[in-house]
Amino acid sequence: MTAAFFVQAVLSFGLSLLAVALGVAYMPMGPWERGFLALGVLFLVSSTFTLAKCVRDRQEMQEMTSRVDKARLDKLITEHDPFDPKNL
């Protein structure tokens, strides 16, 4: 991930959150309805961060598991001697 991509992602998130917040703030409705929508947006944002973290953690776990399995297989292959009489 490059620095430019990170900045673009942060700016995109900030801009979209600001747009929704302004939309809720200027919507012609009462404070209870506006508060309900604001809480819904807050819940959506926090759930999105949680989901992204869970997906990232699962992906990292799968990558680590595959690296460990590959290292075990590489060790078995390098230690195996096909000309050893007990392997015949």
Side-chain angles (χ1 to χ4, degrees), residues 17 37-47:
L17 190 60
L37 288 176
L39 284 175
V41 169
L42 182 66
F43 182 66
L44 179 65
V45 169
S46 68
S47 297

Side-chain angles (χ1 to χ4, degrees), residues 15 21 25 34 39 41 62:
L15 185 63
R34 203 174 281 132
L39 284 175
V41 169
Q62 288 174 348

Side-chain angles (χ1 to χ4, degrees), residues 13-50:
F13 173 76
L15 185 63
S16 64
L17 190 60
L18 179 67
V20 169
L22 287 173
V24 169
Y26 287 106
M27 197 172 275
M29 59 177 58
W32 285 103
E33 294 89 356
R34 203 174 281 132
F36 177 77
L37 288 176
L39 284 175
V41 169
L42 182 66
F43 182 66
L44 179 65
V45 169
S46 68
S47 297
T48 302
F49 278 116
T50 302

Side-chain angles (χ1 to χ4, degrees), residues 4 12 15 30 46-48 59 61 65 68 73 77 79 84 86:
S12 173
L15 185 63
S46 68
S47 297
T48 302
Q59 182 180 4
M61 185 176 57
T65 302
V68 169
L73 183 61
I77 289 173
E79 291 177 350
D84 188 8
K86 68 178 178 184

Side-chain angles (χ1 to χ4, degrees), residues 6-16:
F6 181 76
V7 169
Q8 178 186 1
V10 169
L11 289 176
S12 173
F13 173 76
L15 185 63
S16 64

Side-chain angles (χ1 to χ4, degrees), residues 60-77:
E60 286 177 353
M61 185 176 57
Q62 288 174 348
E63 287 175 3
M64 186 176 295
T65 302
S66 73
R67 275 190 260 149
V68 169
D69 289 343
K70 185 180 180 323
R72 283 185 186 147
L73 183 61
D74 289 345
K75 182 180 178 206
L76 284 172
I77 289 173

